[in-house]
């Protein structure tokens, strides 16, 4: 992984255009080829990024990152403050607690929990920024990314937002919608999810395990 701290401006051109004015930022180049641009503030979500496969070309004072769809990030560098690289090696991946892992397994077996006509495409669908818990299709054949938590909080909504944004860049999957599923969802997280066009589903762990429940909670 290469980490560059630089004063830079960034221009994105593709499905739309976006501009980041000159400011100090962290440029992250990962071993898988992805390029991410971070600021020191706000969310941990990058300001902009390009997921692999893509090509990085470095010229005098400028980086040009182009993906297979022809989208382009052009990074104009005024000054490099730090430039370092580290070999991180293979990551063992996230180990989930027993309840959350079992919840994912149960929901994969009972995807109709999310709606009639749902089918499972794959568990732990791989992306450049981590695996999506479940990738499904709804009754209309549209892809649906499902993020599963034991307790639904804002960081889980942020995570799902990144997955949906990234998957929608793939013409073979788009359009992709998102479902945030948890045993409990905090009001702030639900508000943020709905504001971002995501759906929330509160699931009953005991009912999924075959135990009776008098409460049906589905948003």
């Amino acid at each position: 992984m290469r980490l560059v701290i630089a004063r830079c401006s960034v221009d994105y051109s593709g499905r739309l255009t976006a501009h980041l004015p000159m400011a100090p930022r962290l440029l992250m180049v990962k071993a898988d080829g992805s390029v991410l641009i971070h600021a020191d503030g706000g969310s941990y979500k990058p300001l902009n990024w390009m997921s692999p496969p893509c090509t990085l070309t470095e010229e005098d004072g400028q980086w040009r990152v182009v993906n297979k769809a022809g989208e382009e990030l052009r990074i104009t560098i005024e000054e490099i403050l730090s430039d370092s690289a580290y070999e991180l090696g293979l990551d063992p991946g996230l180990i989930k607690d027993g309840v959350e892992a079992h919840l994912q397994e149960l929901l994969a077996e009972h995807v109709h929990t999310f709606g009639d006509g749902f089918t499972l495409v794959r568990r732990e669908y791989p992306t450049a920024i981590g695996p999506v818990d479940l990738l499904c299709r709804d009754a209309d054949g549209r892809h649906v990314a499902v993020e599963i938590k034991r307790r639904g909080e804002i960081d889980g909504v942020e995570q799902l937002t990144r997955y949906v944004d990234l998957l929608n860049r793939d013409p073979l999957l788009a359009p992709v919608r998102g479902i945030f599923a948890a045993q409990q969802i905090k009001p702030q997280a639900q508000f943020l999810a709905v504001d971002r066009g995501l759906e929330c589903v509160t699931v009953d762990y005991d009912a999924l395990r075959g135990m009776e429940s008098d409460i049906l909670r589905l948003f």
Side-chain angles (χ1 to χ4, degrees):
M1 180 181 292
R2 183 182 176 190
L3 303 174
V4 177
I5 299 176
R7 281 188 53 82
C8 63
S9 63
V10 183
D11 291 281
Y12 165 79
S13 59
R15 294 174 301 164
L16 46 80
T17 59
H19 174 72
L20 293 171
M22 191 69 66
R25 297 188 178 92
L26 169 64
L27 310 178
M28 180 183 298
V29 183
K30 298 176 68 176
D32 62 7
S34 55
V35 178
L36 302 93
I37 301 157
H38 287 270
D40 189 12
S43 170
Y44 50 80
K45 180 179 179 180
L47 298 172
N48 213 326
W49 71 93
M50 192 71 79
S51 55
C54 59
T55 302
L56 168 61
T57 303
E58 295 185 50
E59 301 171 352
D60 186 24
Q62 192 169 86
W63 290 11
R64 184 169 175 264
V65 188
V66 181
N67 67 10
K68 62 180 181 180
E71 297 173 301
E72 179 178 327
L73 273 179
R74 191 176 293 271
I75 305 170
T76 302
I77 298 176
E78 182 180 85
E79 180 184 9
I80 293 180
L81 305 174
S82 174
D83 189 345
S84 56
Y86 303 90
E87 179 59 54
L88 300 185
L90 293 176
D91 190 272
L94 178 66
I95 301 175
K96 299 188 177 184
D97 66 64
V99 172
E100 191 169 306
H102 193 213
L103 191 59
Q104 182 191 122
E105 180 182 341
L106 290 169
L107 287 170
E109 295 175 359
H110 303 284
V111 291
H112 61 271
T113 300
F114 306 120
D116 294 336
F118 265 68
T119 56
L120 177 68
V121 175
R122 178 170 173 176
R123 288 180 60 188
E124 299 288 340
Y125 185 85
T127 77
I129 57 175
V132 179
D133 287 338
L134 303 179
L135 184 67
C136 303
R137 285 183 184 271
D138 63 18
D140 297 322
R142 181 178 176 181
H143 285 97
V144 183
V146 182
E147 180 63 26
I148 300 167
K149 300 293 184 186
R150 185 168 56 170
R151 290 183 296 273
E153 301 182 1
I154 284 178
D155 60 347
V157 177
E158 294 280 9
Q159 186 177 359
L160 178 58
T161 300
R162 293 196 302 275
Y163 288 144
V164 172
D165 287 347
L166 181 61
L167 293 173
N168 269 312
R169 295 186 180 193
D170 188 337
L172 297 178
L173 297 177
V176 181
R177 61 189 180 97
I179 292 180
F180 188 49
Q183 289 179 271
Q184 296 177 334
I185 301 178
K186 290 189 173 182
Q188 301 94 327
Q190 183 166 333
F191 178 86
L192 180 62
V194 173
D195 184 65
R196 293 187 174 179
L198 306 172
E199 300 170 50
C200 291
V201 175
T202 305
V203 295
D204 189 321
Y205 181 54
D206 289 339
L208 285 171
R209 290 192 299 170
M211 299 176 64
E212 292 185 359
S213 175
D214 295 327
I215 303 174
L216 178 62
R217 299 184 293 273
L218 179 62
F219 291 90

